Amino acid sequence: MPYNLNLIEKRPTFVTHLECAYEGDSYLSDKIHGLSKVGKPLLVRYDLDGVKAALTKDILESRPMDMWRWRELLPVRDTANIMSLGEIVTPLIPLPSLAKKYGANAANLLVKDEGRLPTGSFKARGLVMAVSMAKELGIKKIAMPTNGNAGAALAAYCSAAGIETYVFCPDDTPEVNVREIALQGAKTWRVNGFINDCGHIVADGEEAKGWFNLSTLKEPYRIEGKKTMGLELAEQLDWELPDVIFYPTGGGTGLIGMWKAFDELEKIGFIGSKRPKMIAVQATGCAPIVNAFEAGERHAKPILDAHTAAAGIRVPAAIGDFLILDAVRESNGFAIAVDDEAIFEVRDRIAATDGLLLCPEGAATVAAWELSLERGLIDAQDKAIFFNCATGLKYPMPAANAFIDRHQLIDYDAMG
Ligand SMILES: *Cc1c(COP(=O)(O)O)cnc(C)c1O
């Protein structure tokens, strides 16, 4: 039994239908769907007037501090299908040393630390939703391409739900992720290619293996889970959205999801029309969205020789590219790339000065903030949110080999 199921009361649900994000045509809810007829992502739509009548800020305040407090804006119908492993509300951690360096206010530079979620990354938000919906819809077998964190979350929730999983990782996925996925119960393969090559194996195997394809944005519910980052942020900031959000963008689920969340929050009367600038952060070795943004295009060209140690954002082609680019442009934001050198310099510096161990993707957002300041794209006084999407402990760290021979005289002066 999920850890806190007894705390999640039965509440009415408000899903009305699904909608093609590209064409706007409707699809029935409560049925298994992948992509729309034109091969684009499907978005879940709700009776927002109904939600508005059912959910008040006071009611919300009385609920446990986990993502299920947003039940009315989430798709699961039957509480018994919620496969929770403890999806807490993640904290906002200030960066006072960084703020001091730039003459900023520490209260305005906040890391949303998603590394504290089950399986150590924000993929838990998307996967708990997708797997709960898979359970609700009777899906028994799931396959997924992953750069690591999504596969781990998929494996964990599916094991809990009794769903069989097949996971395919590029062979240079961080070792800890591959082992974690296998240990959590998925049939796991390393593939000599990128995540989109793994995606082809999943798509081509659908007929032979009868599995459901849970690739990013190729099913409708992961985005609904990721959306809770936006809902949470709004509540944590007392219903006043920040000025800028720096989001490390791979498939873009989180950025698209938050943008959708803000719209829904406004329609249920919880926030006004102010929106943050959405900043899509990528690595210079794999920046399809940045290229498209700069070229003024709505779709991104795939990157052929993608490379960056920030595995979570090594996504050469994203099916939701137009949704990412639309949100970035509508928000008056931008897309920006930082190189791996800057990513690791920031990771090491923030760990040693502000005490927070960021994952490389999270460090990329801080590096992008610094670069944006340098280019005059933002102001140091803007209230900025950085997404640290996974625990820094999952990634290789610099060696630390200082040694003491306890049988020799110990030279305390040499310790510095
Ligand atoms: C998946 C992932 C990302 C990218 O998230 P999207 O919402 O798919 O763009 C960034 N960082 C980490 C650590 C990830 O696991």
Side-chain angles (χ1 to χ4, degrees):
M1 167 138 149
Y3 92 111
N4 63 349
L5 206 54
N6 54 337
L7 295 176
I8 308 166
E9 327 133 41
K10 292 247 181 219
R11 293 174 197 149
T13 58
F14 296 89
V15 176
T16 52
H17 63 285
L18 277 56
E19 191 180 284
C20 171
Y22 202 68
E23 298 283 348
D25 51 327
S26 299
Y27 294 76
L28 289 177
S29 60
D30 306 283
K31 294 214 176 318
I32 297 174
H33 291 289
L35 293 169
S36 73
K37 286 184 206 113
V38 294
K40 299 292 181 194
L42 289 173
L43 300 175
V44 181
R45 296 299 181 202
Y46 299 83
D47 164 17
L48 292 172
D49 290 334
V51 175
K52 188 173 183 176
L55 184 64
T56 64
K57 291 180 182 174
D58 284 344
I59 293 175
L60 196 66
E61 230 168 80
S62 70
R63 293 182 178 170
M65 291 302 281
D66 62 28
M67 66 184 259
W68 303 102
R69 63 202 276 100
W70 293 102
R71 189 83 159 80
E72 287 85 350
L73 283 172
L74 299 176
V76 186
R77 300 277 193 203
D78 184 349
T79 299
N81 291 323
I82 294 177
M83 294 314 306
S84 179
L85 293 169
E87 298 74 29
I88 57 162
V89 170
T90 59
L92 291 171
I93 316 281
L95 296 175
S97 293
L98 182 75
K100 192 159 173 223
K101 181 170 173 189
Y102 289 94
N105 178 346
N108 284 342
L109 298 182
L110 300 170
V111 174
K112 186 136 175 79
D113 192 7
E114 299 279 297
R116 302 167 195 229
L117 286 161
T119 70
S121 87
F122 66 6
K123 291 297 194 300
R125 292 183 191 265
L127 271 307
V128 69
M129 202 61 64
V131 173
S132 299
M133 287 306 294
K135 186 159 181 272
E136 189 150 279
L137 297 169
I139 292 169
K140 300 274 187 281
K141 212 193 265 191
I142 291 177
M144 179 197 268
T146 180
N147 279 327
N149 289 322
L154 175 76
Y157 288 110
C158 281
S159 293
I163 295 173
E164 209 181 336
T165 45
Y166 297 77
V167 173
F168 303 88
C169 321
D171 54 6
D172 57 353
T173 298
E175 187 63 31
V176 65
N177 289 89
V178 182
R179 294 184 186 208
E180 180 190 11
I181 296 164
L183 180 64
Q184 292 258 225
K187 297 191 177 77
T188 310
W189 286 270
R190 303 171 197 252
V191 177
N192 53 349
F194 293 114
I195 188 165
N196 37 336
D197 300 310
C198 298
H200 290 310
I201 295 174
V202 170
D204 293 347
E206 274 174 61
E207 205 168 314
K209 298 296 291 175
W211 59 42
F212 181 75
N213 182 347
L214 212 87
S215 303
T216 302
L217 287 173
K218 292 190 179 168
E219 66 76 56
Y221 303 108
R222 281 172 67 178
I223 185 175
E224 293 303 293
K226 280 280 200 79
K227 174 179 96 175
T228 59
M229 295 190 289
L231 302 173
E232 240 173 73
L233 250 190
E235 187 183 17
Q236 285 175 306
L237 297 175
D238 213 11
W239 311 112
E240 173 83 24
L241 296 179
D243 299 310
V244 275
I245 292 179
F246 284 83
Y247 187 81
T249 306
T253 332
L255 192 148
I256 301 164
M258 283 193 280
W259 195 244
K260 182 173 188 280
F262 299 151
D263 187 46
E264 291 173 358
L265 282 174
E266 184 176 357
K267 291 202 171 107
I268 66 166
F270 277 31
I271 61 170
S273 58
K274 177 186 165 180
R275 292 289 182 277
K277 288 182 180 152
M278 303 299 283
I279 318 300
V281 177
Q282 299 201 301
T284 46
C286 184
I289 299 298
V290 179
N291 295 344
F293 179 79
E294 286 173 354
E297 279 158 15
R298 194 172 181 222
H299 290 281
K301 289 191 188 69
I303 301 294
L304 298 179
D305 58 343
H307 56 89
T308 167
I313 51 176
R314 195 172 54 214
V315 179
I319 190 161
D321 54 1
F322 65 103
L323 293 171
I324 302 169
L325 286 156
D326 286 356
V328 164
R329 290 188 173 117
E330 269 173 49
S331 77
N332 241 334
F334 51 90
I336 187 166
V338 289
D339 60 33
D340 280 23
E341 200 183 324
I343 289 175
F344 286 102
E345 188 277 318
V346 165
R347 193 247 338 235
D348 299 356
R349 169 156 47 94
I350 299 294
T353 58
D354 275 316
L356 196 61
L357 179 56
L358 301 171
C359 63
E361 298 83 352
T365 64
V366 178
W369 179 82
E370 291 186 325
L371 188 58
S372 304
L373 264 188
E374 199 184 299
R375 292 185 183 165
L377 296 169
I378 55 163
D379 191 286
Q381 307 309 324
D382 287 344
K383 193 176 196 78
I385 305 295
F386 306 111
F387 270 87
N388 186 46
C389 348
T391 168
L393 292 171
K394 283 201 186 190
Y395 299 79
M397 284 175 253
N401 295 322
F403 178 74
I404 286 175
D405 179 352
R406 69 188 174 88
H407 301 298
Q408 304 294 320
L409 195 66
I410 295 179
D411 182 357
Y412 286 97
D413 286 339
M415 290 180 181

